[in-house]
Amino acid sequence: MSGFDVQKVRADFPILRQEVRGRPLVYLDSAATSQKPQAVIDSIVRFYQHDNANVHRGVHVLSERATEAYEGARETVRRFINARDAKEIIFVRGTTEAINLVAQTYGRKHLGPGNEVLITHIEHHANIVPWRMLCEQTGAVLKVIPVDERGELKLDAVDALMTERTRILAVTHVSNALGTVVPVKELTRRAHAKGIPVLVDGAQAVTHFPVDVQDLGCDFYAFSGHKMFGPTGIGVLYGRLERLEPLPPYQGGGDMILSVTMEKVTYNRVPHRFEAGTPDLAGAVGLAAAIEYLEALGMANVAAHDQELLAYATKALESVPGLRIVGTAREKSAVLSFLLEDIHPHDVGTILDREGICIRTGHHCAQPVMQYFKVPATSRASLALYNTTEDVDALVRGLHKVLEVFK
Amino acid sequence: MSSDLSDLYQEVVLEHSKRPRNYRVVEGHNREAAGHNPLCGDQLSVTLKVEGDVIRDIGFQGQGCAISKASASLMTGAVKDKTRAEAEALFERVHKLVTEGPEGVDVDALGKLAVLSGVSEFPARVKCASLAWHTLRAALEGRGEAVSTE
């Protein structure tokens, strides 16, 4: 692969250099959380060893350094997703909090009885439950774009679902359970033609291919640090400035105010209005390091590796007798959900685990997807930039072992 | 196969998971309960015919992994014609077996259920093995609502 040496990449991830149960670790669960390169780990250690202090308040040198690191991370994120302005980047705990933030600020402000929230059938619970809660709070109604047997959205049903009652479209960029890449640019175009703002859940996208929020045109874009080789506890909500400016605060506390008296509070400007309390400073620093790591590899190279590996893995899994891949969208990311004969995914996962192979089994926090495909659970192998064709071969050998146990 | 895997997936376990016994709704049942493991989505229901203090008939239905199905199937065989107290005592033994292993458990008193001993090496699978038993207990206590392993 041009410009991409996967063995060199692997060497950057210390956790991969271990044996489990007497076998080399094969980590195929990056859609749940990714592993961290040494550069990210080092950046966090360095921050705590040299620069740690609270931000936006101190007059001392450490606070200046910490503020510079934190606001520098904001600028790094801006560059990574090509936002116009660093003020459009809000640090949150993760994708889940980002979506809750929009539901509870934009949603509370703009939704009432009779209004509609439009989501899709392939959302992660994080992009269902906050809207369901909002509907319960406001009397609005949740509408759902249907899915087909490949795991693609039924785009011809979309226009009828976007009505004068629709107040927001919340849609995933990549399905965590099926790997489907959703044409969010096209959906945004159609929604905007009807004046409907769009939130995109990008948790599974930013790690696999380049994302340009201006090109997509969406109003909000949410993602997590930990799925893109950064630390847990930090994530991003991007919001177009003209969308963010009129919004009320999310949580109250320090740093989100300009002045407080017992009679009156004046809220801070965007983005600080949405960042109450001391943020995850080291997390932001670690996220910036992860972005710099990805930028050095080149997201186009990462995407090419992803697609080559997906093609290889799809073919390899199809060679296993009795295996059925769930989610066969024409445009897919390197996520492979599958069923093996009538063997329950938990049994598959347990036997693979004894071979040193980590996969996810269960409903993947996407129960409506399971309900559509009429299965209680699937096994899921999710691949990342440090995975190799050898990892896929190990998975296939492991699956043959599963068949042997259940023969 | 590594030895702990073959301990987990013993012949009897695999056989019961493929051909579960008493996989039915008991006709004229007077107790029932549903069980759910939200982590993996496993669901099963247990129906009972209790006369006085004795379980005269028991059946189960549902979906789950090999361990949960085998445990449910073996359970139905083990508690039939037992008193409520005997069934409870059996659950205590099974629970100790799947969490701590066979040491200190009267394995002979468990009969076929002893094949679940391999579960103790797989902490993530303990809930699979105990789901049916929690559901049985709920049915015996007359709690109609769904029980959860969480």
Side-chain angles (χ1 to χ4, degrees):
Chain A
M1 279 160 221
S2 62
F4 193 90
D5 179 349
V6 69
Q7 290 307 332
K8 202 159 153 278
V9 169
R10 287 182 71 79
D12 295 331
F13 290 79
I15 203 168
L16 299 178
R17 278 177 240 142
Q18 66 177 302
E19 292 200 338
V20 289
R21 312 191 191 287
R23 293 157 200 277
L25 173 70
V26 177
Y27 187 75
L28 303 175
D29 196 18
S30 294
T33 195
S34 64
Q35 300 302 345
K36 321 303 172 196
Q38 191 64 48
V40 167
I41 299 167
D42 287 346
S43 75
I44 295 166
V45 171
R46 203 163 47 235
F47 178 79
Y48 281 126
Q49 283 181 340
H50 296 286
D51 305 326
N52 180 54
N54 216 324
V55 289
H56 303 146
R57 11 174 122 33
V59 293
H60 56 75
V61 60
L62 289 187
S63 180
E64 270 172 34
R65 271 196 232 154
T67 303
E68 207 169 294
Y70 183 63
E71 293 305 324
R74 201 187 302 278
E75 168 57 23
T76 303
V77 172
R78 184 210 63 75
R79 185 179 69 221
F80 184 62
I81 59 171
N82 193 33
R84 270 175 310 172
D85 193 321
K87 291 201 284 289
E88 298 179 315
I89 306 301
I90 300 162
F91 284 121
V92 289
R93 277 188 298 145
T95 310
T96 299
E97 187 175 42
I99 296 169
N100 277 279
L101 192 160
V102 176
Q104 291 302 313
T105 57
Y106 173 85
R108 277 290 184 103
K109 190 178 158 102
H110 291 285
L111 274 89
N115 292 151
E116 293 171 3
V117 175
L118 184 57
I119 63 171
T120 86
H121 206 103
I122 60 172
E123 299 306 316
H124 185 282
H125 294 167
N127 205 22
I128 301 173
V129 182
W131 304 114
R132 171 60 63 200
M133 288 165 63
L134 177 68
C135 287
E136 281 164 16
Q137 290 159 349
T138 61
V141 177
L142 198 63
K143 294 281 184 174
V144 182
I145 298 173
V147 61
D148 69 16
E149 64 285 354
R150 279 189 300 244
E152 294 181 3
L153 295 183
K154 289 186 174 165
L155 294 180
D156 49 3
V158 168
D159 289 332
L161 284 163
M162 291 179 179
T163 71
E164 69 283 359
R165 297 180 297 278
T166 313
R167 289 294 170 272
I168 191 162
L169 166 66
V171 56
T172 191
H173 202 167
V174 174
S175 155
N176 73 305
L178 303 169
T180 311
V181 178
V182 174
V184 290
K185 185 176 176 180
E186 167 64 12
L187 287 176
T188 300
R189 193 187 60 73
R190 291 200 211 174
H192 281 180
K194 294 186 174 178
I196 302 164
V198 178
L199 174 140
V200 177
D201 170 356
Q204 300 290 344
V206 285
T207 153
H208 288 294
F209 49 77
V211 168
D212 180 331
V213 290
Q214 290 191 69
D215 179 54
L216 295 176
C218 57
D219 300 87
F220 301 102
Y221 196 95
F223 57 100
S224 300
H226 75 97
K227 293 201 201 284
M228 52 182 294
F229 318 105
T232 52
I234 189 82
V236 171
L237 172 66
Y238 155 82
R240 279 167 57 189
L241 210 50
E242 61 270 30
R243 286 284 178 209
L244 293 176
E245 293 280 13
L247 292 185
Y250 174 48
Q251 295 177 325
D255 224 29
M256 54 78 73
I257 47 82
L258 288 177
S259 73
V260 177
T261 68
M262 286 307 169
E263 287 75 36
K264 187 171 163 47
V265 174
T266 311
Y267 299 123
N268 205 337
R269 285 180 287 273
V270 173
H272 307 294
R273 189 190 305 157
F274 302 106
E275 295 180 357
T278 299
D280 185 354
L281 307 172
V285 167
L287 174 58
I291 288 173
E292 280 158 16
Y293 181 80
L294 286 168
E295 286 173 337
L297 289 176
M299 281 309 293
N301 293 326
V302 170
H305 177 72
D306 191 73
Q307 287 302 309
E308 280 188 43
L309 214 47
L310 173 65
Y312 183 88
T314 303
K315 216 168 158 203
L317 287 187
E318 282 170 352
S319 77
V320 177
L323 188 142
R324 177 163 78 88
I325 292 176
V326 179
T328 49
R330 285 160 293 187
E331 208 181 328
K332 249 186 98 165
S333 175
V335 170
L336 297 115
S337 249
F338 61 88
L339 299 167
L340 187 59
E341 293 184 343
D342 58 351
I343 304 167
H344 194 280
H346 268 208
D347 296 312
V348 175
T350 290
I351 296 167
L352 291 178
D353 173 62
R354 295 288 138 158
E355 301 294 312
I357 301 164
C358 308
I359 63 156
R360 170 89 186 261
T361 64
H363 53 61
H364 317 296
C365 295
Q367 286 178 349
V369 173
M370 302 297 122
Q371 288 150 15
Y372 173 80
F373 285 100
K374 296 189 175 62
V375 295
T378 68
S379 301
R380 181 188 71 184
S382 55
L383 306 162
L385 46 82
Y386 38 64
N387 287 120
T388 61
T389 54
E390 287 82 5
D391 290 339
V392 175
D393 296 341
L395 172 63
V396 168
R397 281 196 302 276
L399 291 172
H400 280 284
K401 197 141 228 171
V402 175
L403 289 173
E404 205 178 294
V405 172
F406 277 86
K407 71 170 182 282
Chain B
M1 211 191 314
S2 63
S3 67
D4 49 1
L5 259 192
S6 48
D7 285 348
L8 181 66
Y9 294 109
Q10 293 185 38
E11 225 22 73
V12 177
V13 170
L14 291 172
E15 205 268 324
H16 272 262
S17 77
K18 281 176 194 154
R19 291 199 311 112
R21 316 296 195 269
N22 302 305
Y23 193 84
R24 59 191 162 87
V25 174
V26 171
E27 218 170 291
H29 62 272
N30 54 6
R31 297 271 197 290
E32 65 183 314
H36 181 215
N37 181 345
L39 276 186
C40 55
D42 284 2
Q43 284 179 321
L44 63 83
S45 62
V46 170
T47 47
L48 300 172
K49 192 186 233 172
V50 178
E51 286 173 17
D53 203 33
V54 180
I55 299 168
R56 284 296 171 212
D57 200 1
I58 175 168
F60 87 100
Q61 283 186 323
Q63 55 192 9
C65 62
I67 307 304
S68 75
K69 263 197 197 150
S71 180
S73 172
L74 289 161
M75 176 186 82
T76 57
V79 301
K80 211 180 225 171
D81 294 324
K82 294 282 195 304
T83 65
R84 196 175 146 168
E86 286 167 336
E88 277 288 342
L90 207 50
F91 182 17
E92 292 304 323
R93 276 198 207 101
V94 169
H95 195 260
K96 198 161 190 294
L97 180 76
V98 299
T99 50
E100 296 166 30
E103 271 162 56
V105 178
D106 183 357
V107 177
D108 291 339
L110 281 169
K112 268 191 192 168
L113 288 164
V115 298
L116 295 173
S117 65
V119 174
S120 64
E121 291 297 314
F122 296 79
R125 306 306 296 277
V126 169
K127 283 174 182 164
C128 310
S130 44
L131 176 60
W133 294 85
H134 284 292
T135 312
L136 169 64
R137 180 183 273 171
L140 285 172
E141 288 172 359
R143 291 186 280 133
E145 81 273 29
V147 292
S148 165
T149 54
E150 291 308 295

